[in-house]
Amino acid sequence: MSTTLDPLVPGIPTPTGRSLADLVYDEIGILGAVEGERSFRRRLLEMGFLPGTPVRMVRNIPIGDVLEVELRTSRVSLRISEARSIHLAAPVQP
Amino acid sequence: MSRPVVAIAGNPNSGKTTLFNQLTGANAKVGNYAGVTVEQREGGMTLPDGRDVLLLDIPGTYSLSARSAEEQIAISVMAGLNPYHEPDAVIVVVDSTQLARNLYLVLQILELRLKVVVALNMTDVLAANHVSIDVDAVSAALGVPVVAVSARRGGGVKDLRAAVQKSLEAPETERSRAVTNGWDARLSEDVAAVEPFVPKGWDRDDDGRRRALAGWAIMSIDDDDELWDVPDDLRAAALGRRRAATAAGRDLDLDLARARYEWIDAQLPAFFETPLTPLRKVTDAIDKVLIHPAAGMLLFLVVMALVFESLFTWSAPLIDGVEAGVEAFTTGLTMLLPAGLLSDFITQGLVAGVGAVLVFLPQILMLFLFISILEDSGYMARAAFLMDRVMKAIGLTGRAFVPMLSGYACAIPAIMATRTMERQRDRLLTMMVVPIMTCSARLPVYTLVIAALFPPPSAEGGTLLGFFSLQALIMVAMYLFSTVMALAAAFVLGRTVFKGTTPPLVLELPPYRMPHPASVLRMMWERGRLFVTEAGTVILTCSVVLWVLLTFPQDVELSRDYAAEGNAARVAAGVAPILDVDDDGGVGDDDADAETGGVAAGEVIDAAAAEDASLLPVALMAALQDLRAAEAAERLRLSYGGRLGRLIEPTIAPLGFDWKIGVGLIGAFAAREVFVSTMGIVYGIGDEADETSMPLRERLHAETWPDGRPVYTPLVGLSLMVFFALAAQCMSTLAVVRRETRTWRWPIFLFTYMTAMAWASSFVVYQGGRLLGFS
């Protein structure tokens, strides 16, 4: 599935109880709040992990505790354990 | 007036370094930013009108916000905060395939009110994917000149130079300004409340810049940040305002970041005729294999084996070549120079010191050949990604893997390779444990000790279970021991001296690219040059000091008259004696010489060498060589180094070492393998002895304490090897740590902790072994 990720979705996203780490391969989610240590949070916010931003799971390697996601045509890799502090809001229609 | 300064900034992987190289040609200077281990690169750039400007490379960053002194460099250089001067213009390099995230940094820089030129890089990649970007629209939206470039192919570089020249000549009114204006009333109020505390020297009476720096302060200042030169009242204001906002349920970090991204997301569609889609087809296909949990891991191990093989095996002929060259040069010099102290100083002090520096070059160049290919191709980020979990377990990052592995060949290039790590703490921690890895210089020592003191497979007790060679097993055990100790040291130091939680991983896997041969060569050249010029001088100084320690004092009372014995041997063999040779190599009758034992045996030999040696009987030559070795042994014993060896004997006796081993340990400071040849001199076998020398092995066997007990037992051998495994006995390692950290603090720490650990471990091995009944 080739997807264009839309810019910010207006309105306040509703939490879903899922985190970024729960996305499966190629699934798109909408970011909710980012929690965690301030410097980690700020880094992610400045890389565009803002509430309402669509994000697609590109790679998920549980054995290595790492994943890679795509947002705004950029890629970022995170630890799965740390991606659990990045919440998802309502999913978009595929 | 001094030449204008232009700073070049950009996201990591934006092609900033490639563009920097394109703009400066081959004349970059590499230094360090003050107070941190972050590298500062600068180089001359010629403008179209022929003027020369200084181009200053700012470390790649996603944002100007900072928590640590390293991260603060970007804002300090660009805003001209103490101790930097504001640059006359700034080039911001932007990866246009990831425009949104790259524009975030651009917006922050625009807010600082500078003369900005934006270089839209990788437009060729867009074009190849049939995406066209409207450069004029981008320029209009940002309010600064924008130039499309292709850093790798050199496209648009001429236009960029012209744009920089125009920008430098433009009036002050052309300075950039904030474009977002998206702050809501409450956020504006928060920033305005902090503005009065921005120091005068920071804002230069510019409202826009004051606002930008107030925003920076709110976003950066933290209760436990490591920023420097931030006034207390600004700190208090920023922290207070953020706390108040948090109490009111607002999040200033989020609001400030969102204001910029809202603008970016609103503007972006206007920049492209067709919407920009992620362009990663090829990279994704390659990554399906390269970071596959199984296949990728296997390939990673193959790549690492290749790197290791190159350091260990492929560089060997080059090292031999360097050594042969230095030796040939020494021989030539010895023939040219009159025999004596000056000749010894030049050959054994200076030339040997230069040789000690050059001998590292093959491995350094080889390692950086691989590192720059791995970095430029994008594979290094994958390696860090794959190794993250393993390295995190010992408190290090995935990027520490390559330096740790290289440590098995040699700590010098390995320590230089820590540069690929982002955080100062990770770099320092890796530097402190890499020297524990079993480097190739320890092998001759292990080989000598194992061969001399442990039975070979053919002898009784030489095999385990009748199959495994005891000698080979001990060698393997030494490798395992060093690995375990290095990991343990990392684990402990990472929780004490370098305390701090492992930082969260936020990593970008850049698209795969073909490495650029010119930039690979440039990296090798820069590393090699830095090592020779900076670490090299320390190594050279140390090797001269060591030579002095092991050579002086000269006018010592010798127990035998070696020269007279030599001459007696000559006469007995029917050869004319050498009468009296003074330091100038001339023959004369110097009374003082006669009183201090006359000519040295070495001089008798050297004078003989000047004759046609083939005319001398073989037996006489052998007798003279023995005399010379005996004299060298006595002179070494009486030297400062020999005295130092005896001085430290009480401290090393609990490890089972006598003063002669002490002298060997002092000699080994030049390089661990020098231990072997120093022991050769100590035992009067000559400095030609190597680890396979039978006379040296036999001599070790025969050596006894005054009470008749053998000095070298298997237990002492083990204790000695453990000491060598752990002690920081390598001046070159200390010199290169000093070069990388720019302070003596870390080499001193390294030396102290490793030596203490080595002593304690050897003590446990030797005394524990004795308690268990081993001798």
Side-chain angles (χ1 to χ4, degrees):
Chain A
M1 186 183 79
S2 164
T3 331
T4 302
L5 299 183
D6 297 321
L8 294 180
V9 173
I12 299 162
T14 44
T16 58
R18 291 178 85 203
S19 80
L20 187 62
D22 298 322
L23 287 180
V24 296
Y25 173 69
D26 216 25
E27 187 186 355
I28 295 177
I30 300 291
L31 289 177
V34 180
E35 291 183 341
E37 202 186 317
R38 186 181 173 211
S39 60
F40 171 68
R41 227 182 135 254
R42 186 182 62 207
R43 183 101 187 249
L44 290 177
L45 291 174
E46 294 196 307
M47 288 178 97
F49 283 71
L50 297 160
T53 307
V55 49
R56 184 171 73 97
M57 178 68 74
V58 180
R59 213 176 309 280
N60 195 333
I61 309 179
I63 196 176
D65 188 29
V66 279
L67 55 77
E68 186 179 14
V69 294
E70 183 173 81
L71 73 167
R72 288 193 176 81
T73 78
S74 297
R75 293 286 179 85
V76 180
S77 294
L78 305 165
R79 293 197 184 104
I80 293 174
S81 46
E82 285 151 10
R84 293 198 198 291
S85 59
I86 303 170
H87 298 282
L88 289 181
V92 287
Q93 295 304 311
Chain B
M1 208 186 108
S2 61
R3 59 178 172 170
V5 176
V6 176
I8 181 165
N11 279 21
N13 305 306
S14 61
K16 174 175 62 69
T17 304
T18 315
L19 193 58
F20 175 88
N21 290 347
Q22 287 273 7
L23 290 170
T24 57
N27 60 359
K29 211 180 86 198
V30 185
N32 256 48
Y33 281 103
V36 287
T37 63
V38 176
E39 207 155 69
Q40 177 180 22
R41 289 155 52 89
E42 54 183 53
M45 164 173 115
T46 312
L47 298 178
D49 66 4
R51 255 192 316 162
D52 197 40
V53 298
L54 185 71
L55 192 61
L56 188 63
D57 189 14
I58 291 172
T61 181
Y62 296 111
S63 155
L64 294 182
S65 310
R67 219 194 91 85
S68 66
E70 301 149 87
E71 292 169 343
Q72 200 182 350
I73 289 169
I75 183 91
S76 295
V77 172
M78 247 172 310
L81 310 186
N82 182 41
Y84 304 99
H85 293 285
E86 184 191 293
D88 299 284
V90 176
I91 300 170
V92 193
V93 188
V94 163
D95 173 359
S96 31
T97 68
Q98 310 194 41
L99 195 57
R101 196 190 62 203
N102 279 253
L103 281 179
Y104 185 87
L105 178 68
V106 176
L107 294 190
Q108 283 185 315
I109 294 173
L110 294 180
E111 291 164 14
L112 289 175
R113 310 263 296 131
L114 300 162
K115 288 181 174 176
V116 176
V117 176
V118 172
L120 271 187
N121 194 17
M122 304 186 199
T123 42
D124 54 329
V125 180
L126 289 185
N129 287 277
H130 313 291
V131 177
S132 63
I133 184 163
D134 187 342
V135 176
D136 293 336
V138 180
S139 177
L142 297 175
V144 293
V146 175
V147 182
V149 298
S150 162
R152 294 172 60 75
R153 296 175 192 192
V157 171
K158 230 168 100 187
D159 299 339
L160 181 59
R161 284 181 211 267
V164 170
Q165 179 179 315
K166 221 173 135 198
S167 187
L168 285 170
E169 287 160 357
E172 292 296 301
T173 50
E174 296 288 290
R175 281 174 178 263
S176 65
R177 52 188 75 241
V179 289
T180 41
N181 293 325
W183 292 350
D184 62 26
R186 282 183 306 183
L187 184 57
S188 302
E189 214 174 280
D190 287 317
V191 175
V194 176
E195 278 181 38
F197 301 98
V198 173
K200 275 275 158 282
W202 286 23
D203 65 27
R204 313 257 159 81
D205 285 331
D206 184 303
D207 295 343
R209 179 200 278 254
R210 190 178 309 121
R211 194 172 312 129
L213 289 168
W216 176 85
I218 291 174
M219 198 118 180
S220 299
I221 291 171
D222 212 340
D223 289 314
D224 58 348
D225 65 50
E226 290 153 24
L227 304 172
W228 35 273
D229 214 25
V230 173
D232 288 343
D233 52 351
L234 175 62
R235 181 173 284 280
L239 279 173
R241 202 68 201 186
R242 210 168 66 83
R243 244 177 243 130
T246 309
R250 291 186 304 126
D251 179 346
L252 295 188
D253 289 349
L254 172 63
D255 291 349
L256 283 164
R258 183 156 54 190
R260 296 190 184 109
Y261 271 109
E262 273 172 355
W263 184 89
I264 293 168
D265 287 329
Q267 296 287 326
L268 218 52
F271 299 159
F272 298 97
E273 279 166 27
T274 48
L276 178 64
T277 50
L279 309 167
R280 308 268 295 204
K281 288 192 182 69
V282 178
T283 292
D284 279 345
I286 299 174
D287 270 341
K288 278 218 155 58
V289 181
L290 287 194
I291 46 184
H292 186 272
M297 210 58 185
L298 197 71
L299 269 161
F300 171 75
L301 292 177
V302 170
V303 171
M304 289 302 117
L306 202 70
V307 172
F308 187 67
E309 184 71 8
S310 77
L311 288 184
F312 213 79
T313 315
W314 301 353
S315 65
L318 295 172
I319 294 172
D320 291 346
V322 170
E323 282 174 345
V326 171
E327 204 176 301
F329 187 66
T330 306
T331 313
L333 269 182
T334 317
M335 304 235 280
L336 281 176
L337 295 169
L341 205 55
L342 179 68
S343 164
D344 284 356
F345 170 69
I346 292 174
T347 55
Q348 294 165 23
L350 287 181
V351 177
V354 171
V357 175
L358 295 183
V359 81
F360 289 112
L361 274 183
Q363 285 179 323
I364 289 173
L365 297 180
M366 197 75 88
L367 182 59
F368 278 97
L369 168 70
F370 277 96
I371 285 183
S372 63
I373 291 174
L374 294 178
E375 282 284 2
D376 289 6
S377 64
Y379 187 74
M380 197 66 110
R382 271 83 185 173
F385 183 80
L386 284 171
M387 290 314 292
D388 178 70
R389 183 167 223 169
V390 177
M391 300 304 284
K392 191 189 160 209
I394 53 163
L396 280 168
T397 71
R399 286 201 168 238
F401 190 83
V402 170
M404 297 280 270
L405 178 83
S406 311
Y408 283 109
C410 178
I412 312 303
I415 286 167
M416 293 173 73
T418 58
R419 288 264 140 170
T420 58
M421 278 180 265
E422 253 179 73
R423 283 208 319 162
Q424 168 144 325
R425 174 221 177 242
D426 297 336
R427 271 197 297 270
L428 284 173
L429 178 53
T430 312
M431 275 186 225
M432 293 301 117
V433 299
V434 152
I436 303 176
M437 299 300 203
T438 300
C439 65
S440 51
R442 286 170 171 109
L443 287 183
V445 180
Y446 294 168
T447 307
L448 173 71
V449 172
I450 291 174
L453 306 177
F454 295 93
S458 54
E460 201 193 319
T463 56
L464 234 65
L465 306 171
F467 180 71
F468 297 106
S469 150
L470 179 66
Q471 295 190 337
L473 280 178
I474 293 173
M475 192 60 110
V476 172
M478 290 314 296
Y479 270 94
L480 282 178
F481 176 68
S482 82
T483 308
V484 169
M485 290 305 281
L487 298 184
F491 190 85
V492 172
L493 290 177
R495 275 160 185 73
T496 51
V497 183
F498 304 101
K499 213 164 25 211
T501 48
T502 317
L505 179 80
V506 182
L507 181 73
E508 184 190 355
L509 303 181
Y512 288 107
R513 292 180 189 128
M514 204 61 191
H516 208 290
S519 76
V520 170
L521 286 176
R522 189 184 174 120
M523 166 92 109
M524 292 167 67
W525 162 250
E526 274 179 13
R527 294 302 138 195
R529 196 188 56 181
L530 279 179
F531 172 75
V532 170
T533 54
E534 299 190 27
T537 43
V538 178
I539 298 174
L540 182 60
T541 313
C542 285
S543 76
V544 168
V545 168
L546 271 176
W547 176 81
V548 168
L549 276 182
L550 298 176
T551 309
F552 286 90
Q554 283 279 300
D555 53 342
V556 285
E557 197 79 39
L558 296 174
S559 62
R560 290 157 67 185
D561 187 344
Y562 295 96
E565 287 183 41
N567 275 333
R570 288 174 70 94
V571 172
V575 181
I578 305 291
L579 287 175
D580 191 11
V581 188
D582 62 31
D583 279 352
D584 301 315
V587 178
D589 52 356
D590 192 329
D591 289 340
D593 252 4
E595 277 168 19
T596 55
V599 293
E603 290 172 29
V604 174
I605 306 271
D606 291 337
E611 306 166 43
D612 191 349
S614 64
L615 293 178
L616 294 178
V618 176
L620 173 60
M621 279 308 285
L624 291 177
Q625 293 287 8
D626 284 350
L627 269 176
R628 183 183 192 178
E631 184 189 1
E634 184 165 10
R635 283 192 178 274
L636 178 59
R637 186 162 61 81
L638 295 171
S639 72
Y640 295 120
R643 293 175 198 184
L644 202 58
R646 269 174 293 174
L647 198 70
I648 64 169
E649 189 175 16
T651 66
I652 55 174
L655 314 182
F657 306 161
D658 68 354
W659 69 267
K660 290 177 182 172
I661 296 179
V663 177
L665 294 181
I666 293 165
F669 197 66
R672 291 183 176 90
E673 71 268 24
V674 173
F675 177 78
V676 176
S677 58
T678 309
M679 295 318 275
I681 301 174
V682 169
Y683 289 124
I685 289 160
D687 57 3
E688 305 289 298
D690 65 19
E691 66 273 18
T692 57
S693 156
M694 286 318 284
L696 183 56
R697 290 181 187 178
E698 284 158 15
R699 192 69 183 73
L700 292 188
H701 248 312
E703 187 70 8
T704 57
W705 290 97
D707 61 10
R709 284 181 298 124
V711 171
Y712 293 92
T713 62
L715 187 60
V716 170
L718 221 48
S719 166
L720 187 58
M721 285 194 292
V722 164
F723 192 84
F724 263 89
L726 301 178
Q729 254 166 333
C730 175
M731 61 176 184
S732 308
T733 299
L734 300 175
V736 86
V737 170
R738 143 93 193 132
R739 138 76 200 144
E740 291 297 322
T741 61
R742 302 281 163 147
T743 151
W744 280 107
R745 188 171 152 208
W746 293 114
I748 289 170
F749 172 78
L750 179 68
F751 178 78
T752 313
Y753 109 82
M754 279 183 67
T755 308
M757 184 168 69
W759 193 91
S761 305
S762 284
F763 184 86
V764 168
V765 167
Y766 183 68
Q767 300 297 342
R770 275 166 42 116
L771 280 179
L772 293 174
F774 297 101
S775 56

